[in-house]
Amino acid sequence: MRVLEVASEVAPLAKTGGLADVLGALPSALSRLGCDVTVVLPAYREALDGRHGPIEPTGWEFDVAVGTGTRRATIWQSRLAGRHGGADVTVYLVGHPAYFDRPTLYGGAEAYGDNAERFIFFSRAVLDLASRFEQPYDVIHSHDWQTGIVPAYLKALPAAWPRLARARSVHTIHNMAYQGVFWHWDMLLTGLDWRHFHWRQMEHFGKLNLLKTGIVFADAVTTVSPTYAREIRSAPGGCGLEGTLASRGDALVGIVNGIDTDLWNPAADPHLPRPYGAADAVEGKRAAKRALAERVGRDPDDDRPLAAFVGRLAEQKGIGMVADVAARLAAGGRVRFFVLGTGDRHAEETLRRLAAAHPGAIDLVVGFDEGLAHLVQAAADMLLMPSLYEPCGLTQLYAMAYGTIPVVRSTGGLVDTVVDATPEALAAGRASGFLFEHADAGALAWGLERALELHADRPAWERLVAGVMHQDWSWARSAAAYRTLFERVVEAPPHGGRIRLSAVGAGAGAGGGASGEAGGDFDARDDRAEREA
Ligand code: ADP
């Protein structure tokens, strides 16, 4: 089966969050399962700088229709290293310097004013590129709003890409809160007919909505955990698109992300001072804690429990709650805090003030630092994730792989991946973290207090640490769920019929104990028949 993965981020070439990690690992896991996978992303400045391996020119250039004009696409080539014996995966990068030779991917807090144009160009260029290959693709798998128009092009402009006539589209939602909403005149950039600009397709409250477009036109829609798949079918999880998701019936399946165990493996992590496994986690984590303390100029012998936060400083991540709890507990001296993140200026300022007021109890590093993220995950005892919502979450999975116990709010993928340490779950060896319900600092503090209480019982804590480190969150299981989905989508009759997806959802890692299942039958009918009628 030939699969084309289309996304705006692919680790390590270009990353702002979990989307990149998924695209860095899923293609190789699929290729291990026998799929022939190609990946395409934009040729951003940071991707072309060669830091992550050679990027070669292909010599291919072509004009891509954007609005009434054209823009030149230049194609580059790279490879994603195969994982666990899987083959290397070819990556194409679509270049157009005026769009992508910029300091950041999307413009940061002030999004670039031409983001619609940049990603409409990219999506269209990908299809132009894909249709140059003699061997057609079976599945085109797009991700998030940036490539939401890809399924629409396949359905609404089939004559433009005859080689892709049989390709089926799967669209994955990594976060409902980012929808790619643009003024209606950007519809002109797409080259699609205005008759698609209505509330059942591309329009949402008068605006062009690219995530909605992907949801409406794709043959199958997935999101990154079964619980999130349920949450987004109603408000507030659906962020206004709950009606659209409902209109596709059960055409939505949740598949939990995996982790790249080549990159996130404490036994072979170049960012750690001393590699470790479950058997010597105490020593390995102690060495990491010393290294982290030295890095920020703190006492390396301070062995108080360390609670960390690694992630975007965004409201979604509950960073305000982390700040409140740190402020509340710092003076007590029983626990230290470490925050690594970047994002919201106001949150950064609050945390800076707190760190200055509590030296040695609260440390903050503002910035995006991949190596430091690994060191923090190894050094910490607990990882705080009080997310308001969390489609899947990868940091809690990395934490567990590194023997760090997640303290998480009971939402989205966190529910599907963390088993609360109740006495029963602890006794059965199924526990993996601490869950709390309410989105407030009191609830997070309660979760952290429970963790600290167990931490004081060394043998019980070490059993918990060893237990989480033995879980398997590798991509193998989730990639198999994607492949099953792809097979069903490809087998479905082109103009209708229902695809049975109920057995597709991948809930939890083998060791996780949590299980989740979302999805059911979904209607593969596209609107081609309707249009042709
Ligand atoms: P999201 O995609 O919502 O940001 P995830 O938990 O799915 O959240 O993925 C976040 C990814 O980004 C993880 O790989 C995490 O380690 C990484 N990350 C987030 N912030 C930073 C940072 N400041 N420095 C290094 N890595 C970071």
Short mmCIF file of all heavy atoms in Angstrom, two decimals, residues 332-354:
data_model
loop_
_atom_site.label_atom_id
_atom_site.label_comp_id
_atom_site.label_asym_id
_atom_site.label_seq_id
_atom_site.Cartn_x
_atom_site.Cartn_y
_atom_site.Cartn_z
N GLY A 332 7.38 25.68 51.33
CA GLY A 332 7.31 24.54 52.26
C GLY A 332 8.58 23.69 52.26
O GLY A 332 8.86 22.98 53.22
N GLY A 333 9.34 23.76 51.17
CA GLY A 333 10.64 23.07 51.13
C GLY A 333 10.58 21.57 50.87
O GLY A 333 11.61 20.91 50.85
N ARG A 334 9.39 21.01 50.63
CA ARG A 334 9.32 19.55 50.44
C ARG A 334 9.51 19.14 48.99
O ARG A 334 9.72 17.97 48.70
CB ARG A 334 7.93 19.05 50.89
CG ARG A 334 7.79 18.93 52.38
CD ARG A 334 6.48 18.24 52.71
NE ARG A 334 5.37 18.92 52.06
CZ ARG A 334 4.39 18.31 51.41
NH1 ARG A 334 4.39 17.00 51.28
NH2 ARG A 334 3.40 18.99 50.88
N VAL A 335 9.39 20.09 48.08
CA VAL A 335 9.42 19.74 46.65
C VAL A 335 10.01 20.91 45.87
O VAL A 335 9.87 22.07 46.29
CB VAL A 335 7.99 19.39 46.15
CG1 VAL A 335 7.00 20.49 46.44
CG2 VAL A 335 7.96 19.04 44.66
N ARG A 336 10.71 20.58 44.79
CA ARG A 336 11.24 21.64 43.90
C ARG A 336 10.52 21.57 42.57
O ARG A 336 10.00 20.52 42.19
CB ARG A 336 12.74 21.43 43.68
CG ARG A 336 13.56 21.66 44.93
CD ARG A 336 15.04 21.52 44.59
NE ARG A 336 15.37 20.17 44.14
CZ ARG A 336 16.27 19.90 43.19
NH1 ARG A 336 16.89 20.89 42.56
NH2 ARG A 336 16.54 18.66 42.85
N PHE A 337 10.57 22.67 41.85
CA PHE A 337 9.88 22.73 40.55
C PHE A 337 10.86 23.13 39.46
O PHE A 337 11.77 23.94 39.70
CB PHE A 337 8.74 23.75 40.59
CG PHE A 337 7.64 23.37 41.55
CD1 PHE A 337 7.69 23.75 42.89
CD2 PHE A 337 6.57 22.60 41.12
CE1 PHE A 337 6.69 23.38 43.76
CE2 PHE A 337 5.56 22.23 41.99
CZ PHE A 337 5.63 22.62 43.31
N PHE A 338 10.66 22.56 38.28
CA PHE A 338 11.46 22.96 37.12
C PHE A 338 10.52 23.12 35.93
O PHE A 338 9.76 22.19 35.61
CB PHE A 338 12.52 21.89 36.80
CG PHE A 338 13.58 22.39 35.86
CD1 PHE A 338 14.84 22.73 36.32
CD2 PHE A 338 13.31 22.57 34.49
CE1 PHE A 338 15.82 23.21 35.45
CE2 PHE A 338 14.27 23.06 33.63
CZ PHE A 338 15.54 23.38 34.11
N VAL A 339 10.55 24.28 35.30
CA VAL A 339 9.69 24.52 34.14
C VAL A 339 10.58 24.78 32.92
O VAL A 339 11.47 25.64 32.95
CB VAL A 339 8.77 25.74 34.37
CG1 VAL A 339 7.99 26.07 33.10
CG2 VAL A 339 7.80 25.46 35.53
N LEU A 340 10.35 24.01 31.86
CA LEU A 340 10.99 24.27 30.57
C LEU A 340 9.88 24.53 29.57
O LEU A 340 9.02 23.67 29.34
CB LEU A 340 11.81 23.05 30.10
CG LEU A 340 12.26 23.10 28.63
CD1 LEU A 340 13.18 24.27 28.36
CD2 LEU A 340 12.93 21.79 28.23
N GLY A 341 9.88 25.72 29.00
CA GLY A 341 8.83 26.00 28.04
C GLY A 341 9.00 27.35 27.39
O GLY A 341 9.85 28.15 27.78
N THR A 342 8.18 27.55 26.40
CA THR A 342 8.17 28.85 25.74
C THR A 342 6.75 29.07 25.22
O THR A 342 6.01 28.12 25.04
CB THR A 342 9.21 28.89 24.60
OG1 THR A 342 9.11 30.14 23.95
CG2 THR A 342 9.01 27.80 23.57
N GLY A 343 6.40 30.35 25.05
CA GLY A 343 5.07 30.63 24.54
C GLY A 343 4.55 31.95 25.07
O GLY A 343 5.17 32.99 24.84
N ASP A 344 3.47 31.86 25.80
CA ASP A 344 2.75 33.03 26.27
C ASP A 344 3.65 33.95 27.12
O ASP A 344 4.22 33.53 28.13
CB ASP A 344 1.57 32.53 27.10
CG ASP A 344 0.71 33.67 27.59
OD1 ASP A 344 0.07 34.30 26.75
OD2 ASP A 344 0.71 33.92 28.81
N ARG A 345 3.77 35.22 26.68
CA ARG A 345 4.66 36.18 27.36
C ARG A 345 4.25 36.41 28.81
O ARG A 345 5.07 36.54 29.70
CB ARG A 345 4.64 37.52 26.64
CG ARG A 345 5.17 37.49 25.25
CD ARG A 345 6.70 37.72 25.21
NE ARG A 345 7.20 37.41 23.88
CZ ARG A 345 7.57 36.17 23.47
NH1 ARG A 345 7.51 35.14 24.27
NH2 ARG A 345 8.00 35.96 22.24
N HIS A 346 2.93 36.47 29.03
CA HIS A 346 2.43 36.75 30.37
C HIS A 346 2.81 35.60 31.31
O HIS A 346 3.28 35.83 32.44
CB HIS A 346 0.91 36.94 30.30
CG HIS A 346 0.28 37.16 31.63
ND1 HIS A 346 0.45 38.32 32.34
CD2 HIS A 346 -0.49 36.34 32.40
CE1 HIS A 346 -0.20 38.21 33.49
NE2 HIS A 346 -0.77 37.03 33.54
N ALA A 347 2.65 34.36 30.83
CA ALA A 347 3.02 33.20 31.65
C ALA A 347 4.52 33.20 31.93
O ALA A 347 4.96 32.91 33.04
CB ALA A 347 2.60 31.91 30.93
N GLU A 348 5.29 33.55 30.91
CA GLU A 348 6.75 33.61 31.09
C GLU A 348 7.10 34.60 32.21
O GLU A 348 7.92 34.29 33.08
CB GLU A 348 7.42 34.11 29.80
CG GLU A 348 7.78 33.00 28.83
CD GLU A 348 8.42 33.56 27.55
OE1 GLU A 348 9.12 34.60 27.60
OE2 GLU A 348 8.20 32.95 26.52
N GLU A 349 6.46 35.76 32.16
CA GLU A 349 6.73 36.82 33.15
C GLU A 349 6.39 36.35 34.56
O GLU A 349 7.16 36.51 35.50
CB GLU A 349 5.90 38.07 32.80
CG GLU A 349 6.65 39.34 32.56
CD GLU A 349 8.14 39.25 32.87
OE1 GLU A 349 8.48 39.49 34.06
OE2 GLU A 349 8.97 38.95 31.99
N THR A 350 5.19 35.75 34.69
CA THR A 350 4.76 35.24 36.01
C THR A 350 5.77 34.24 36.54
O THR A 350 6.18 34.29 37.71
CB THR A 350 3.39 34.54 35.87
OG1 THR A 350 2.49 35.44 35.24
CG2 THR A 350 2.84 34.09 37.20
N LEU A 351 6.19 33.33 35.68
CA LEU A 351 7.12 32.29 36.13
C LEU A 351 8.49 32.87 36.46
O LEU A 351 9.14 32.45 37.42
CB LEU A 351 7.24 31.20 35.05
CG LEU A 351 5.99 30.32 34.92
CD1 LEU A 351 5.96 29.60 33.59
CD2 LEU A 351 5.94 29.29 36.07
N ARG A 352 8.92 33.85 35.69
CA ARG A 352 10.20 34.50 35.98
C ARG A 352 10.18 35.13 37.36
O ARG A 352 11.12 35.02 38.14
CB ARG A 352 10.48 35.60 34.95
CG ARG A 352 11.31 35.14 33.79
CD ARG A 352 11.74 36.38 32.97
NE ARG A 352 11.48 36.20 31.56
CZ ARG A 352 12.24 35.45 30.76
NH1 ARG A 352 13.30 34.84 31.24
NH2 ARG A 352 11.96 35.33 29.48
N ARG A 353 9.07 35.81 37.65
CA ARG A 353 8.95 36.46 38.97
C ARG A 353 8.98 35.43 40.09
O ARG A 353 9.64 35.60 41.10
CB ARG A 353 7.63 37.26 39.03
CG ARG A 353 7.77 38.71 38.59
CD ARG A 353 6.66 39.58 39.16
NE ARG A 353 5.33 39.01 38.97
CZ ARG A 353 4.61 39.15 37.86
NH1 ARG A 353 5.07 39.86 36.85
NH2 ARG A 353 3.42 38.59 37.75
N LEU A 354 8.26 34.32 39.87
CA LEU A 354 8.22 33.27 40.89
C LEU A 354 9.60 32.66 41.11
O LEU A 354 10.03 32.43 42.24
CB LEU A 354 7.28 32.15 40.44
CG LEU A 354 5.80 32.35 40.69
CD1 LEU A 354 5.02 31.16 40.14
CD2 LEU A 354 5.55 32.46 42.20
#
